[in-house]
Amino acid sequence: MKYSYYLRPGYKSHDLLIEIVSGAEDEYFLTDLLDSIAEINPKVDSINDRWINDEVEIEVSSDIGSFIISKDIWDLAFIMAEDNQECIKKINLLLLNNKNFQKVEVDFDNYK
């Protein structure tokens, strides 16, 4: 496994997100991620450098809606789609079936 991730709610939220907890520092992370979800035809629309908090935000559109991939200088990466929870659930299913990704179960109560 190259990458480990959590499917979890945002802090004090019911909206799910995907947090990449290991492997996001790999130079091929974005390529591997997009390859793993190729079934939904992801297309990078824009890349925004958020220098204030040392983060890159990648806006992606797909057959099932838009989502954001956020990556910071601490090699944390998140996949978020607040208004499209079905998109997050579908990405999770695609990652579950990809040999490069491993889901790590978390306690949702930790994010209340």
Side-chain angles (χ1 to χ4, degrees):
M1 288 299 150
K2 274 182 145 178
Y3 311 105
S4 296
Y5 74 95
Y6 301 152
L7 174 67
R8 67 169 184 83
Y11 289 105
K12 300 184 190 282
S13 173
H14 294 291
D15 291 336
L16 293 174
L17 57 82
I18 293 171
E19 177 182 358
I20 308 298
V21 292
S22 71
E25 71 282 354
D26 188 288
E27 67 179 302
Y28 299 108
F29 166 69
L30 187 58
T31 301
D32 289 342
L33 175 62
L34 294 175
D35 285 349
S36 71
I37 61 172
E39 180 181 310
I40 62 170
N41 296 310
K43 177 181 159 282
V44 173
D45 293 328
S46 66
I47 299 174
N48 305 304
D49 190 4
R50 307 278 185 220
W51 59 270
I52 292 175
N53 51 356
D54 296 321
E55 171 185 14
V56 174
E57 227 178 56
I58 304 161
E59 295 180 24
V60 182
S61 58
S62 76
D63 291 350
I64 59 171
S66 298
F67 57 95
I68 293 174
I69 302 168
S70 168
K71 187 169 183 277
D72 65 26
I73 61 166
W74 298 281
D75 295 319
L76 294 173
F78 298 89
I79 303 169
M80 301 167 287
E82 291 175 9
D83 297 332
N84 188 355
Q85 289 291 284
E86 291 307 311
C87 182
I88 294 296
K89 292 173 185 174
K90 177 64 175 177
I91 292 171
N92 174 56
L93 290 175
L94 293 171
L95 295 180
L96 282 172
N97 291 312
N98 186 285
K99 64 181 177 7
N100 288 325
F101 288 84
Q102 177 181 10
K103 181 179 177 185
V104 178
E105 295 299 330
V106 295
D107 183 350
F108 279 26
D109 288 340
N110 293 340
Y111 301 94
K112 289 185 176 177

